[in-house]
Amino acid sequence: MSISVIKAEYINGLVLNITFSDNTQKEVDFKPFLSAKEHAIFKFYRKIKNFKQFSIENGKLVWGEDWDLIFPTVQLYEGKISN
């Protein structure tokens, strides 16, 4: 069975509550990952107003029109993003 993202809600800071296709919910803190990277795109999405501009496309949680950021669904499901 393939798990996909069906809903995501902003909580605070760089934290989202993500709901998956099996109705599992996880709070995921993106700050450790985004703060560890110095590339301009990561700095851009560390700003809350930009971070909040996520969408769900094809069962994936993404940021940016051209998917500037996308994380493996399995990592989101586990509640932690690997660096």
Side-chain angles (χ1 to χ4, degrees):
M1 180 175 142
S2 178
I3 298 293
S4 59
V5 175
I6 59 169
K7 183 178 177 185
E9 298 174 296
Y10 176 76
I11 301 293
N12 61 39
L14 298 176
V15 179
L16 298 179
N17 184 46
I18 303 169
T19 304
F20 299 90
S21 55
D22 68 352
N23 290 318
T24 297
Q25 291 188 359
K26 297 284 179 155
E27 275 192 18
V28 180
D29 185 356
F30 292 81
K31 185 175 182 175
F33 179 86
L34 293 174
S35 296
K37 310 292 182 189
E38 288 303 317
H39 190 278
I41 199 71
F42 299 110
K43 290 180 181 180
F44 179 80
Y45 287 108
R46 283 195 297 250
K47 296 178 184 167
I48 304 262
K49 68 177 183 134
N50 300 328
F51 178 76
K52 291 169 83 174
Q53 301 303 312
F54 58 86
S55 63
I56 299 168
E57 297 182 28
N58 301 322
K60 307 280 186 198
L61 181 63
V62 301
W63 284 261
E65 199 172 295
D66 296 321
W67 294 17
D68 295 336
L69 288 180
I70 183 171
F71 296 94
T73 302
V74 69
Q75 289 183 15
L76 298 175
Y77 191 83
E78 292 170 354
K80 186 174 181 185
I81 301 164
S82 300
N83 280 333

